[in-house]
Amino acid sequence: MISNTEKRFWEKVGPITDEGCWSWIGSKTKNNRGTFWLNGRMVTAPRASLELFFGITLDNNFACHHCDNENCVNPSHIFVGDNKQNLIDASNKGRLHHQQKTHCINGHPLSGENIRKRRIGNGRVCKLCMKTYRSVYKLRRRVGKEE
């Protein structure tokens, strides 16, 4: 027998895609994330799917997608991951904001010989901008000492 909660959930699931994704057509946040009212609190639709169909409570973890479709609520396409696993998954799929940048803020290309890896954390640094920054810094220090 289907509970009222499961019935409400199924009312918000749209057509199944060719890849087997269950499309969420219910309410969404400004960031286009599906939401569902479950056990007295608003949760993301994928999180609700895991709780309803597998009985998994995520606590401080994330509902990550194997299919990379943020509107999919098929529990077999969703896995539980902590913050690190979520970021690694997003990085492997090229979904992190800074990965998509092709040029720095000053228009220099972020590729080839013009980039270096950050010393702290992950990421890329524009060598031309760093060279300019160091030149200006040294000049200011020299002017400051002459006064």
Side-chain angles (χ1 to χ4, degrees), residues 26-56:
S27 61
K28 296 180 182 178
T29 65
K30 293 177 191 174
N31 297 331
N32 203 34
R33 302 283 183 194
T35 59
F36 186 74
W37 192 259
L38 181 68
N39 299 329
R41 59 186 166 75
M42 187 65 72
V43 298
T44 63
R47 182 178 290 252
S49 179
L50 285 177
E51 285 193 38
L52 284 172
F53 298 106
F54 291 155
I56 298 172

Side-chain angles (χ1 to χ4, degrees), residues 99-114:
Q99 282 181 305
Q100 298 169 3
K101 289 184 179 179
T102 58
H103 291 76
C104 74
I105 196 165
N106 294 314
H108 306 127
L110 287 174
S111 60
E113 295 294 317
N114 187 42

